[in-house]
Amino acid sequence: MSGIQLDTGPHFPEDPGGVAILGAGTIAQSAHLPAYAQHGVGVTGVWSRTPATTATIRDRFPFVGRVYASAEELLADPEVRYVDLATGPEGRLDWIEAAVDAGKHVLAQKPLTLSAADLDRLPALLARAEAAGVRIAVNHNGRWAPPWRAATLLVRDGRIGDVVGVTHLHDKPLPPLVGTPFDDVPHMLLTDYLLHWVDITRAWLADGRAGRVVSVQAADSRVPGQPAEAHNPWAATMAMTAAAGATAVLRIAGNVVSSEPGCPFWVHGTDGTLRGSVLLGSDRLEVDDGRTRTAVPLSGAWFVDGFAAALGELMCAVAEDRQPENSAADAAESVRLVLAARESAERGGAPVEVGP
């Protein structure tokens, strides 16, 4: 197996314009706008509920067309075709509904929701969007982290046969959590931080013919050295079992000390193994077919190319009249898994079945 060449994106249609960011706060200004500037995305304008947040945004990002006075003004603008919804998860489905009613395609920040009630409400909203010819995608930008995307393409191509197991390890420090809003999210590591890892793992299991995840088991715990003012546990482990019996494990040991930090992963199959890592300069991927190991050439980075690719997939889906790979319906399946993980942790690590 030699000369592996993979196109991991981003990809855009001929006209990647007409984007407006609703909720232009920290993540929009640190990742979305730099990604769109780098890849030539046309941003019609932005809005934030706090005017100070966007006071200097056009000075730093001159390609932004305007700052809207209100969300209603943004949604009413006929030049806006895509609403990049970068608000927090609270009330997110209400914003999506407003955008659908305005006839706009939507890229919603992840997680789509952390509410079981929202998941119950979602099918009716998606039916309304379909009837209106509107596409809704979720910003699961991790799917386009170059090592993960390359692994996805290789799994889909059958390079390692059927997937039998997936393993992820966080061999890096945790991001700052104490005093942030994230620290107030119950079981934050399981429900929010690990969502990218849950989402890509679910995709590999499905693409690798292991089927959907049918059972989740999870636990989180405080660790030695964790400060008393930290609300959330700093260690978390989540295990998933798929319909065909394949398994996956996601492990955060704590605030890891490492001179070469990264997030290594393994995808084991019946005919080979993928070994790689993402983040913090650790990006790599190799294919082991049992005889030789072949390095996969990679280009780009999760931050910020993954953010551009998530939007590009939505735009291409609209141009090609299909559902995006990162559709809201697909993203809801990943939400169901992290909600099951939260339930398992609250039940002392008892397995939780995930129905169809």
Side-chain angles (χ1 to χ4, degrees):
M1 184 185 299
S2 62
I4 299 174
Q5 297 293 327
L6 299 171
D7 183 358
T8 57
H11 300 288
F12 291 94
E14 185 174 340
D15 178 15
V19 176
I21 301 179
L22 195 158
T26 301
I27 190 64
Q29 297 188 42
S30 64
H32 296 230
L33 284 170
Y36 301 164
Q38 181 175 316
H39 291 278
V41 173
V43 177
T44 303
V46 301
W47 172 79
S48 172
R49 60 169 50 93
T50 306
T53 301
T54 52
T56 63
I57 203 166
R58 296 193 68 239
D59 295 329
R60 290 179 295 115
F61 301 101
F63 73 106
V64 172
R66 60 185 292 193
V67 174
Y68 294 99
S70 67
E72 290 75 18
E73 184 182 30
L74 182 155
L75 293 173
D77 187 348
E79 294 186 12
V80 174
R81 293 185 290 150
Y82 303 91
V83 173
D84 183 356
L85 182 57
T87 61
E90 186 71 25
R92 180 164 291 147
L93 260 61
D94 293 334
W95 284 119
I96 294 174
E97 186 173 27
V100 168
D101 289 344
K104 315 297 187 184
H105 307 289
V106 180
L107 177 68
Q109 185 61 285
K110 55 69 66 176
L112 175 63
T113 180
L114 288 177
S115 162
D118 279 353
L119 289 183
D120 291 340
R121 173 186 168 192
L122 186 63
L125 177 54
L126 296 182
R128 287 177 61 183
E130 184 69 24
V134 169
R135 302 298 185 199
I136 304 172
V138 176
N139 195 5
H140 276 295
N141 43 77
R143 288 199 182 194
W144 285 272
W148 283 1
R149 186 62 178 177
T152 297
L153 298 176
L154 291 168
V155 167
R156 288 178 180 173
D157 195 42
R159 292 291 189 98
I160 60 169
D162 294 346
V163 170
V164 300
V166 177
T167 305
H168 294 277
L169 175 65
H170 278 63
D171 187 24
K172 71 176 189 67
L174 291 169
L177 296 175
V178 177
T180 71
F182 293 104
D183 206 17
D184 292 322
V185 177
H187 302 283
M188 190 279 298
L189 291 182
L190 292 171
T191 59
D192 188 290
Y193 187 73
L194 277 175
L195 180 55
H196 283 302
W197 282 260
V198 170
D199 184 69
I200 195 66
T201 299
R202 185 180 63 80
W204 290 339
L205 291 170
D207 289 341
R209 293 176 291 279
R212 68 176 185 86
V213 174
V214 296
S215 177
V216 171
Q217 191 169 7
D220 51 7
S221 61
R222 301 182 71 87
V223 295
Q226 180 175 338
E229 60 269 26
H231 298 169
N232 261 287
W234 278 10
T237 301
M238 179 175 175
M240 298 182 281
T241 302
T247 59
V249 176
L250 292 65
R251 172 74 170 139
I252 299 177
N255 196 37
V256 174
V257 177
S258 176
S259 59
E260 296 182 2
C263 294
F265 65 90
W266 297 258
V267 186
H268 291 96
T270 53
D271 298 329
T273 298
L274 303 177
R275 297 183 181 89
S277 185
V278 295
L279 291 176
L280 303 175
S282 73
D283 281 14
R284 64 181 182 274
L285 182 68
E286 66 176 19
V287 185
D288 186 343
D289 64 3
R291 298 177 300 276
T292 59
R293 292 187 176 190
T294 304
V296 178
L298 301 172
S299 61
W302 182 343
F303 288 75
V304 294
D305 299 285
F307 288 79
L311 174 63
E313 168 61 12
L314 170 61
M315 289 181 161
C316 289
V318 170
E320 297 163 13
D321 192 24
R322 60 173 175 82
Q323 286 294 337
E325 179 178 325
N326 52 334
S327 70
D330 185 77
E333 295 306 306
S334 293
V335 171
R336 294 177 72 211
L337 298 188
V338 297
L339 293 182
R342 184 175 68 187
E343 180 182 348
S344 175
E346 291 177 347
R347 292 169 50 188
V352 173
E353 293 186 2
V354 182

